[in-house]
Amino acid sequence: MKIAIIYGSDTGNTEHVAHLIQSGFGKDIVDLYDVASIDVDIFSQYSVFIFGIPTWYDGQLQSDWELMLKKMNTVHLNQRIVAVFGLGDQENWSRYFVDAMGWLAKKALACGATLVGRWPASGYDFEQSQGLVEADYFYGLALDEDQQPELTAERVSAWINQLSAEFVNSDTHLSIKNAA
Ligand SMILES: Cc1cc2nc3c(=O)[nH]c(=O)nc-3n(C[C@H](O)[C@H](O)[C@H](O)COP(=O)(O)O)c2cc1C
């Protein structure tokens, strides 16, 4: 199974985490792409994706992802497994914490993807977030390199373990669906 990590990053934090995740899974199975330098044909080349996005300017998508999302209107992600991770700042943007992760997850779902990798919202302190799928869970891994950089490595490592199990389960599910 090959995995594609696709990230957008303005000041390098999300790019840094993308590399951490790639190293965690192993470079032999994970290919890394900056969303600014790829096109939508990438979505036909893999069946498992990890999308990484920071939130900017009061709940906005990172600009390169914003362009990609417009192009994704014609993309189908059926039979594709997607996990998302999002970077934000829970103290200075407490009402918009990791909003972009929510926008991206909703787009992946609208394109037909199977979403895995939900992450508990405990251990963070924020007012509001579009990154929440329900009260106690984010759509994916929320990271805060501004306020909690010391927690990133252990969060990433735990998420990789979680994803490893979920990818296998989803894969089985998909192969059953494919065979039907
Ligand atoms: C001007 C500005 C606006 C920001 N807006 C938000 C926001 O709305 N929500 C949030 O959670 N984080 C916000 N952040 C924090 C960034 O998402 C955070 O620093 C992130 O790690 C940047 O990732 P990058 O280096 O990959 O671009 C903002 C940061 C700056 C400097």
Side-chain angles (χ1 to χ4, degrees), residues 8 18 33 52 59 61-62 75 112 116 130 138 155:
Y33 299 94
L61 293 162
Q62 189 267 344
V75 166
V116 299
Q130 297 297 325
F138 291 109
R155 283 173 171 162

Side-chain angles (χ1 to χ4, degrees), residues 9-14 54-59 88-89 93 96 98 146:
S9 188
D10 280 10
T11 57
N13 292 338
T14 309
T55 303
W56 279 90
Y57 309 115
D58 297 349
D89 177 337
W93 279 273
Y96 307 94
V98 297
D146 297 287

Side-chain angles (χ1 to χ4, degrees), residues 7-16 53-60 62 86-100 143-146:
Y7 68 87
S9 188
D10 280 10
T11 57
N13 292 338
T14 309
E15 180 176 10
H16 166 68
I53 187 167
T55 303
W56 279 90
Y57 309 115
D58 297 349
Q60 302 298 304
Q62 189 267 344
L87 275 82
D89 177 337
Q90 62 200 290
E91 193 174 306
N92 292 310
W93 279 273
S94 187
R95 291 176 52 227
Y96 307 94
F97 182 50
V98 297
D99 278 6
L143 296 168
D144 187 338
E145 281 289 272
D146 297 287

Side-chain angles (χ1 to χ4, degrees), residues 5-8 13-19 21 32 50-54 65 83-87 98 100-101 104 117 139-143 156 159 163:
I5 297 181
I6 304 176
Y7 68 87
N13 292 338
T14 309
E15 180 176 10
H16 166 68
V17 172
H19 282 278
I21 296 172
L32 199 58
I50 299 175
F51 296 161
I53 187 167
W65 264 118
V84 291
F85 68 96
L87 275 82
V98 297
M101 176 168 69
L104 187 54
Y139 280 99
L141 178 65
L143 296 168
V156 164
W159 196 56
L163 286 185

